Amino acid sequence: MTVSKEHIKQELDNLNEQQLEEVADLITSIKFRTQAIEKTPKKRLSEFYGVLHTTIAYPSKEAIRQIVGETLAQKNSTEKS
């Protein structure tokens, strides 16, 4: 939906005081969210490697693929029954 500034200005002229306050609150909220998003530094997934300590060893990719395959096969066989 394309909205022009002129259209918004015309709509604002038709609002009462309470509605204008709600619009002002919405604008403040949008600015705050935008500001918070812009200040959040972007990180790569690789930067998190080793950050989370574990009590168990993670399996390899191949082991995970095997587990997922077996689980899906088992799920499919029970659904067909």
Side-chain angles (χ1 to χ4, degrees), residues 30-74:
I30 292 170
K31 285 182 178 180
F32 178 77
R33 283 186 294 169
T34 304
Q35 201 174 39
I37 291 170
E38 290 173 354
K39 289 183 179 179
T40 304
K42 293 182 173 44
K43 292 189 173 194
R44 304 188 98 161
L45 186 57
S46 60
E47 293 179 49
F48 292 101
Y49 181 77
V51 172
L52 302 175
H53 301 288
T54 62
T55 56
I56 60 170
Y58 284 106
S60 67
K61 286 183 184 179
E62 289 302 318
I64 292 173
R65 288 183 182 130
Q66 181 69 30
I67 293 167
V68 170
E70 290 170 0
T71 304
L72 290 174
Q74 188 177 36

Side-chain angles (χ1 to χ4, degrees), residues 3-18:
V3 179
S4 69
K5 287 184 180 183
E6 282 303 315
H7 177 72
I8 293 173
K9 288 176 184 178
Q10 291 171 359
E11 291 294 325
L12 287 173
D13 289 337
N14 296 327
L15 300 178
N16 63 36
E17 288 301 313
Q18 181 182 359

